[in-house]
Amino acid sequence: MMPARGLWGVLALLLVAAPGCGAEDPCDGPTRCPVEAPLPLAKLSDYDFFVGPLADLAPKDGVVPYQVAAPLWSDQAGKHRFIVLPEGGKVGFQAEGDWEFPEGTILIKNFFFDHDRRDAAVGARIIETRLMLRTADNWRVFIYVWNDEQTEATPLRTGKRVTVEFIDVDGAKKSEEYIVPNEDQCASCHERDDVEHSLGLITPQMNRMVERDGAQVQQLEWLAGQGLFASPPPAAASLPAFVDPFGTAGTLDERARHYLHGNCAHCHQPGGGAGKSGLVFLASETDLAKVGVCKVPAAAGPGTGGHPHDIVPGKPDESIVLFRMNSLDPEIKMPELPNRVIDKAGVELIRQWIAAMPIDTECVSDAP
Ligand code: HEC
Ligand code: HEC
């Protein structure tokens, strides 16, 4: 005979599972309910992006995760990124230039710090979630800052300083001040020619392998399989791809150029915030004089460290590029914005790259 409690358990389950009983909220499940109200919504959870505890960031149907090959350094914050298309919306794939997103698309980037940098499994503190909303002809930006309990995030326009505590790779307890930018600062990197741009959603950044369900898959093919694109992209092998700047694939030159694209090109390109400097860090730039080789900087002053050229082949310590990357002085440091921690691995990569450049011509200073 079945024990009474077991029978009641089964009956209770049947009742809960029975359709039409009205108790179930369809948005409680793995299916996302569309957002109807004007943005920004009052709480991150109101967007219905995630299933289960919010801090797990477990995406619902239609919230598509992705990774870039050469990510932006943000004081060693870890990041999760997602694309959310409006109902029936598709992405217009572009081999070169920005992918095209339908009105109503939301891009999500989430910033967290691991509690223990020796072991990610210990967990992380989530600090902020940034959103970009596609309008007819531009992107709108929003920032949500997480509470200490890690149960909710709410909009904050004005920026914030957060003290982050963690155990470093050497086992030492450390704390760092992390700066959540204010909403006006988004434009300093995302705006070009007076319009906001998405920055990571370009083919070379997205054309990489990722892990899905325990297997390595080609990300563009995986995204196509998710029905993301209006028409499927050409074979990944025929498309441009960035390498991991700190990985083992690619040449030193590729790793350095792709690092500079991911960390500097949003400002350092025509129409960007540093367009007037004439220094261009797009990976596609083939004129090495524009990439800084023997280039005399547009402005003198503390930002040069007394060096006459942005890059002196073979001489990293005489190159302004390295001098500025290796500084936290607000008048000198590059990238310009809000970092508080130097990207040591990035500095080392650029040092090696400059050191390995063939010294066929001496830079001749034509500074006034
Ligand atoms: C220092 C430059 C910089 C600033 C400031 C900045 N971003 Fe970004 N952002 C980037 C770069 C570069 C990427 C692409 C690379 C990546 O995802 O790591 C990116 C990616 C994103 C993404 C993912 C979609 C995309 O464009 O690739 C979102 C969403 C985003 N940023 C929102 C914001 C918001 C909101 C702000 C203002 C609070 C902001 N960003 C400030 C440089 C910046
Ligand atoms: C948020 C925008 C922004 C980012 C990101 C940025 N820069 Fe700059 N950079 C500027 C601006 C604006 C100038 C011109 C004013 C100045 O020299 O300070 C400049 C100037 C420079 C110069 C002097 C160039 C010249 O020829 O006049 C160097 C070198 C430089 N940046 C290196 C870098 C490197 C390397 C990175 C990435 C690690 C980087 N920058 C990222 C905004 C940025």
Side-chain angles (χ1 to χ4, degrees), residues 263-287:
N263 283 277
C264 320
H266 32 280
C267 293
H268 284 277
Q269 65 173 290
K276 289 206 180 84
S277 73
L279 184 61
V280 178
F281 284 132
L282 293 171
S284 56
E285 180 58 65
T286 51
D287 181 352

Side-chain angles (χ1 to χ4, degrees), residues 72 185 187-189 259-268 272-281 290 292 295-300 303-304 309-311 319-325 330-338 350:
L72 176 73
Q185 287 176 314
S188 63
C189 293
Y259 174 88
L260 291 170
H261 187 115
N263 283 277
C264 320
H266 32 280
C267 293
H268 284 277
K276 289 206 180 84
S277 73
L279 184 61
V280 178
F281 284 132
K290 287 192 185 157
K295 179 185 179 302
V296 176
T304 67
H309 300 103
D310 288 339
I311 292 175
S319 300
I320 298 171
V321 162
L322 202 76
F323 170 74
R324 297 191 70 162
M325 283 179 70
E331 283 198 56
I332 299 170
K333 76 192 189 76
M334 284 288 148
E336 250 193 337
L337 270 161
I350 300 308

Side-chain angles (χ1 to χ4, degrees), residues 66 72 81 109 130 132 143 186 189-190 198-200 266:
Y66 72 93
L72 176 73
R81 304 169 182 79
K109 186 156 131 178
R130 301 183 185 176
M132 292 174 62
I143 311 174
C186 312
C189 293
H190 283 272
S198 60
L199 293 173
H266 32 280

Side-chain angles (χ1 to χ4, degrees), residues 66 68 70-74 79 81-82 106-109 111 128-132 140-143 180-190 197-202 205 261-264 266-267 335-339:
Y66 72 93
V68 293
L72 176 73
W73 165 263
S74 308
K79 300 179 187 177
R81 304 169 182 79
F82 304 92
I106 301 177
L107 305 176
I108 309 173
K109 186 156 131 178
F111 291 63
E128 54 161 328
T129 297
R130 301 183 185 176
L131 304 184
M132 292 174 62
R140 292 180 66 196
V141 292
F142 307 108
I143 311 174
V180 178
N182 69 53
E183 268 177 23
D184 295 334
Q185 287 176 314
C186 312
S188 63
C189 293
H190 283 272
H197 290 261
S198 60
L199 293 173
L201 291 153
I202 54 172
Q205 282 282 33
H261 187 115
N263 283 277
C264 320
H266 32 280
C267 293
E336 250 193 337
L337 270 161
N339 301 38

